[in-house]
Amino acid sequence: VAVSPAAGLADERVETRIAGLGPGQAVTLRAVAADQSGCMFQSCAHYRADSLGELHLGTDASHGGAYTGVEPMGLFWSLAPAGMERPYQRLVPRSTGTPMKVELLVHQGHSPPGTIPGPVVAKAEVERWFTAPGVRRIRLKEGGVRGSLFLPPGDGPFPGVIDMYGDEGGLIEFRSSLLATHGFAALSLPYFDFEDLPKVMKEFKLEYFEEAARFLQRHPKVKGPGVGVIGTGKGAELGLSMITFLPEVVAAVCISGCSSNTVADLHYGEMTLPGLRFDMNKVSVSDAGVFDTFEALDDPTNPANSPCTIPIEKAEGHFLLVVGEDDRMWKSSLYAQLAIGRLRQHGKENFELLSYPGAGHRIDPPSTPFCQVAMDRVLGVPVLGGGESKAHAHAQEHSWGKIQEFLHLHLG
């Protein structure tokens, strides 16, 4: 097995070639990885060698297993908890300083997922790094602001971006460290359930996010005059509020967000945007115990809920809206259309939309393993995120390049 690069960035494509097989030989390729708590993840796919006894994952198709077709990175994005592990876990790096190690194994014959594979005929190890050499990580306790600042190597100045995730809370750094690797000064910003921040999403003060934006904007390594924000889920919605009310923020990438404020009231000075509520009576539960929250959020188009709408038409900056059309967490496709309608109604064209058929809720950097159902940290139950693995993987790959282009265009 020849893998190139054997140690590379987690958002880079890996070339995998296999030689020395018999002509037309059937093999099962497996990838095995463990997260930081030791939970095992694996994937498998069925291939046949060509007439020379060789295989190239960039040109040869899988005939079965976790995916079919030509998918150079299929073994990576289809990694899922192994049979003996608790289901519905996400393979998300907790530490950006150590690589994720993935073992690639070649087994004789075609063995279906979940069965004991045939004998191993070859194997190789791949390291997937989330930071490049020279990227600096600085833990922050700056006034009220918490988080980590990732700075690219060199003198800069660099375009500055604030990075936020959703209602899982805590500090999630891997997207920020990858952004720094691509030349951005990226501030990974937690906003609850971290250190001395509030434990739960009860209410938020936009002043916290303003302080973070000002800190980043004034940092000597950050290019001005404005900074950007990238957010997923609740983080996307907070990003919409930041670009609307904070002049420091001039570009917002909103992944699977809502164009109204949700769940927790948002205060800024004398102003309050109430949060749309979830109606737990509208949650459906499958026979397998998976919760579907798609219909549960209050309807933002109901006139009674208009006080929750974020007045994004006031924003001077630019929006990139990224949605999966099969998001089952909530109706992010509809919310993007509502946002676009509101901007157009006010004569604004300061937005781009990336809408992906078959993609689910959490569109992460490329090759992040697809997770259709994930344990919800707040509810403690498995929640349906939607999507189909191959379409979702392609959305992650395509959007990552577009996100960087957008941020470079508007932040310099």
Side-chain angles (χ1 to χ4, degrees), residues 15 33 35 47 76 102 106 157 175 197 236 238 260 284 295 307 336 343:
E15 289 264 329
D35 69 8
Y47 288 90
F76 293 86
V102 183
V106 184
R175 185 166 61 191
L197 295 174
L238 286 164
S260 292
S284 61
E295 296 289 347
L343 291 168

Side-chain angles (χ1 to χ4, degrees), residues 8-30:
L9 288 170
D11 59 352
E12 273 181 356
R13 189 174 273 200
V14 172
E15 289 264 329
T16 308
R17 294 174 186 271
I18 295 149
L21 299 169
Q25 185 179 340
V27 289
T28 297
L29 265 56
R30 279 175 74 229

Side-chain angles (χ1 to χ4, degrees), residues 53-132:
E54 295 179 355
L55 257 182
H56 178 214
L57 266 55
T59 52
D60 293 327
S62 162
H63 304 293
Y67 59 90
T68 56
V70 178
E71 292 294 333
M73 296 302 291
L75 287 168
F76 293 86
W77 54 249
S78 63
L79 282 163
M84 71 279 197
E85 301 288 359
R86 286 196 331 252
Y88 314 135
Q89 298 187 73
R90 267 186 206 289
L91 181 53
V92 174
R94 296 273 168 247
S95 149
T96 55
T98 50
M100 186 169 84
K101 292 181 178 176
V102 183
E103 193 171 32
L104 296 180
L105 303 140
V106 184
H107 296 267
Q108 281 179 22
H110 286 167
S111 43
T115 62
I116 294 172
V120 175
V121 292
K123 60 183 180 178
E125 191 176 75
V126 186
E127 289 187 352
R128 309 283 284 159
W129 286 87
F130 291 88
T131 42

Side-chain angles (χ1 to χ4, degrees), residues 172-196:
I172 300 173
E173 298 177 314
F174 73 101
R175 185 166 61 191
S176 303
S177 63
L178 285 172
L179 283 168
T181 294
H182 291 289
F184 295 93
L187 169 54
S188 183
L189 186 69
Y191 48 92
F192 77 103
D193 195 28
F194 180 72
E195 291 182 354
D196 55 356

Side-chain angles (χ1 to χ4, degrees), residues 276-331:
L276 292 177
R277 302 294 179 206
F278 276 96
D279 180 351
M280 293 311 280
N281 294 322
K282 291 185 179 166
V283 175
S284 61
V285 185
S286 75
D287 293 343
V290 174
F291 283 55
D292 184 341
T293 58
F294 188 67
E295 296 289 347
L297 188 68
D298 289 348
D299 178 6
T301 64
N302 179 341
N305 293 324
S306 63
C308 305
T309 306
I310 302 165
I312 55 172
E313 69 280 357
K314 294 181 176 172
E316 295 296 325
H318 289 80
F319 299 90
L320 177 62
L321 307 170
V322 183
V323 295
E325 292 173 21
D326 193 29
D327 184 350
R328 295 292 304 176
M329 194 76 76
W330 59 10
K331 303 176 183 179

Side-chain angles (χ1 to χ4, degrees), residues 117-382:
V120 175
V121 292
K123 60 183 180 178
E125 191 176 75
V126 186
E127 289 187 352
R128 309 283 284 159
W129 286 87
F130 291 88
T131 42
V135 169
R136 286 200 303 148
R137 172 182 180 262
I138 301 156
R139 279 299 300 277
L140 285 191
K141 273 201 167 180
E142 198 65 40
V145 177
R146 301 292 173 262
S148 298
L149 177 63
F150 290 87
L151 293 173
D155 295 333
F158 308 105
V161 182
I162 292 172
D163 176 24
M164 299 182 294
Y165 269 91
D167 61 7
E168 64 270 58
L171 178 64
I172 300 173
E173 298 177 314
F174 73 101
R175 185 166 61 191
S176 303
S177 63
L178 285 172
L179 283 168
T181 294
H182 291 289
F184 295 93
L187 169 54
S188 183
L189 186 69
Y191 48 92
F192 77 103
D193 195 28
F194 180 72
E195 291 182 354
D196 55 356
L197 295 174
K199 271 278 159 265
V200 293
M201 289 203 298
K202 197 168 168 198
E203 54 180 358
F204 291 122
K205 290 186 162 55
L206 197 62
E207 282 83 356
Y208 172 76
F209 303 92
E210 181 174 53
E211 193 182 343
R214 286 181 176 168
F215 163 80
L216 189 62
Q217 184 197 33
R218 291 171 185 162
H219 194 281
K221 292 261 186 183
V222 173
K223 236 183 220 179
V227 298
V229 60
I230 177 170
T232 298
K234 178 69 187 176
E237 170 202 310
L238 286 164
L240 289 178
S241 291
M242 288 168 75
I243 194 173
T244 297
F245 296 110
L246 308 179
E248 295 83 2
V249 179
V250 298
V253 178
C254 302
I255 302 168
S256 310
C258 183
S259 44
S260 292
N261 187 52
T262 66
V263 183
D265 293 356
L266 180 69
H267 306 285
Y268 185 45
E270 300 294 297
M271 179 209 77
T272 296
L273 284 182
L276 292 177
R277 302 294 179 206
F278 276 96
D279 180 351
M280 293 311 280
N281 294 322
K282 291 185 179 166
V283 175
S284 61
V285 185
S286 75
D287 293 343
V290 174
F291 283 55
D292 184 341
T293 58
F294 188 67
E295 296 289 347
L297 188 68
D298 289 348
D299 178 6
T301 64
N302 179 341
N305 293 324
S306 63
C308 305
T309 306
I310 302 165
I312 55 172
E313 69 280 357
K314 294 181 176 172
E316 295 296 325
H318 289 80
F319 299 90
L320 177 62
L321 307 170
V322 183
V323 295
E325 292 173 21
D326 193 29
D327 184 350
R328 295 292 304 176
M329 194 76 76
W330 59 10
K331 303 176 183 179
S332 53
S333 280
L334 167 69
Y335 305 152
Q337 292 305 329
L338 293 176
I340 288 168
R342 190 173 179 97
L343 291 168
R344 286 204 163 129
Q345 204 181 331
H346 290 86
K348 296 210 153 185
E349 290 289 334
N350 55 341
F351 63 86
E352 290 171 64
L353 171 68
L354 298 175
S355 185
Y356 296 102
H361 179 69
R362 198 166 138 158
I363 298 172
D364 272 328
S367 304
T368 301
F370 171 68
C371 192
Q372 189 182 47
V373 175
M375 285 307 278
D376 186 280
R377 205 194 55 80
V378 182
L379 300 172
V381 297

